[in-house]
Amino acid sequence: MEIRKVGVIGAGQMGNGIAHVFAAAGYEVVLTDISEEQLQAAVNTIQSNLDRQVSREKISQETRDAAMSNITTTLNIADLGETDLVIEAATEREDIKVQIFASLLPHLKPETILTSNTSSISITRLASGTDRPEKFMGFHFMNPVPIMQLVELIRGIATDEETYQACLGVVENLGKTAASAEDFPAFIVNRILMPMINEAVYTLYEGVGSVASIDSSLKLGANHPMGPLELADFIGLDTCLAIMNVLHDGLADTKYRPCPLLTKYVEAGWLGRKTQRGFYDYRGETPVPTR
């Protein structure tokens, strides 16, 4: 099927980035959220990011204007009914995602493809709660979406070849690269990345190194562009913990046990950049380690 109109559910950090890249690639985008304030913030972010691309001569003013005109916002999920492809990018909680798909299903065309931007939750399980498991798959963008080149495509056990090929074509149209992953906890990127971050937190927890020394060691010793604790703050410590719990529960291996210190930071509400405090304190001019 030809995909022209795309629905994006969730106007947070991932949702606004997904809407941005689809609109810039010429797709009609319907962006929905439960908060009008969040929708307006998302539009402002997209506009600011596009303006930055114009100022750096990455895109033309005409491309920027066309992209903005491709985006409409709505508080009513039923307005996604005429879309050809839906990407759910709500918070990383399975119960919320299940509720979203349940409220969306009565309004969809029979041929609409459903996808989730989940970073760890079972695609097969999410698909089984819908009326179209063969037209359901994982469509996992990396953050920040406009910059990162990879998209993980994850087939559930029922996903058909036509759906996979349609989504693969979309990734190519976006100018990104697809990596096919099997439907096992956390897929490829987070299956490898999150245990590394968790081990960095254990290294801090056990007093092997400080926040600064751990991040410096990985940046200078392994040539990582960002230290693991700095990266955890960027991703969100609640998201890191949620993915580690999915790995631990889904694979039943103690090597995926979340570090108690990570749990403690989340309990404190110190979730990283989005709350101004995590492994670093971002309330001043420059980030300061909190341990």
Side-chain angles (χ1 to χ4, degrees):
M1 65 176 291
E2 187 176 6
I3 294 172
R4 291 184 175 178
K5 193 169 186 178
V6 178
V8 179
I9 301 173
Q13 190 174 36
M14 295 304 295
N16 76 58
I18 293 167
H20 173 151
V21 297
F22 272 94
Y27 292 91
E28 290 180 63
V29 177
V30 183
L31 178 62
T32 187
D33 199 281
I34 57 173
S35 163
E36 179 63 46
E37 184 180 353
Q38 187 71 59
L39 284 171
Q40 190 54 56
V43 170
N44 292 342
T45 297
I46 294 167
Q47 184 170 308
S48 173
N49 288 337
L50 286 167
D51 287 343
R52 188 179 302 113
Q53 288 180 299
V54 172
S55 69
R56 293 176 178 174
E57 300 184 349
K58 301 283 187 184
I59 61 172
S60 67
Q61 184 67 38
E62 292 74 17
T63 300
R64 175 262 187 218
D65 294 343
M68 290 305 300
S69 70
N70 283 337
I71 300 170
T72 57
T73 62
T74 180
L75 292 170
N76 185 6
I77 201 167
D79 291 340
L80 273 62
E82 291 303 308
T83 56
D84 306 310
L85 168 69
V86 173
I87 302 172
E88 171 274 316
T91 189
E92 191 69 355
R93 278 182 50 189
E94 187 168 346
D95 58 335
I96 291 176
K97 294 179 186 295
V98 168
Q99 289 173 20
I100 287 170
F101 287 123
S103 64
L104 176 65
L105 288 172
H107 310 290
L108 292 179
K109 301 184 294 184
E111 64 271 22
T112 300
I113 293 173
L114 282 180
T115 70
S116 176
N117 183 59
T118 178
S119 53
S120 61
I121 297 168
S122 168
I123 298 302
T124 298
R125 200 162 61 238
L126 288 175
S128 69
T130 74
D131 61 357
R132 62 195 73 200
E134 72 286 349
K135 290 190 172 296
F136 192 111
M137 69 182 302
F139 210 132
H140 182 216
F141 288 85
M142 305 296 123
N143 185 32
V145 180
I147 294 170
M148 301 294 279
Q149 287 300 301
L150 184 72
V151 180
E152 285 183 316
L153 291 181
I154 306 102
R155 292 189 236 211
I157 198 168
T159 307
D160 63 26
E161 183 64 19
E162 183 183 12
T163 298
Y164 172 76
Q165 290 297 332
C167 290
L168 182 61
V170 168
V171 174
E172 290 170 353
N173 287 341
L174 296 176
K176 295 189 181 294
T177 301
S180 295
E182 293 301 314
D183 186 24
F184 290 100
F187 320 130
I188 295 172
V189 172
N190 283 315
R191 172 75 177 265
I192 297 166
L193 177 64
M194 285 302 156
M196 184 197 76
I197 287 175
N198 194 51
E199 195 62 29
V201 183
Y202 266 115
T203 306
L204 178 65
Y205 175 63
E206 293 168 3
V208 179
S210 66
V211 170
S213 63
I214 291 166
D215 278 353
S216 293
S217 294
L218 268 292
K219 283 193 284 190
L220 301 178
N223 207 28
H224 289 193
M226 193 181 288
L229 301 175
E230 184 185 2
L231 179 58
D233 276 358
F234 180 76
I235 293 167
L237 303 192
D238 52 339
T239 300
C240 294
L241 180 60
I243 295 170
M244 287 309 301
N245 280 325
V246 166
L247 280 165
H248 192 231
D249 295 343
L251 297 171
D253 191 324
T254 55
K255 72 180 180 180
Y256 298 116
R257 184 172 68 97
C259 179
L261 184 61
L262 178 61
T263 302
K264 192 65 66 181
Y265 268 77
V266 173
E267 288 174 345
W270 290 20
L271 308 181
R273 286 177 182 257
K274 61 188 173 185
T275 59
Q276 295 294 296
R277 279 192 291 188
F279 292 113
Y280 292 86
D281 188 326
Y282 299 91
R283 293 173 298 174
E285 287 187 17
T286 57
V288 177
T290 55
R291 284 178 95 83

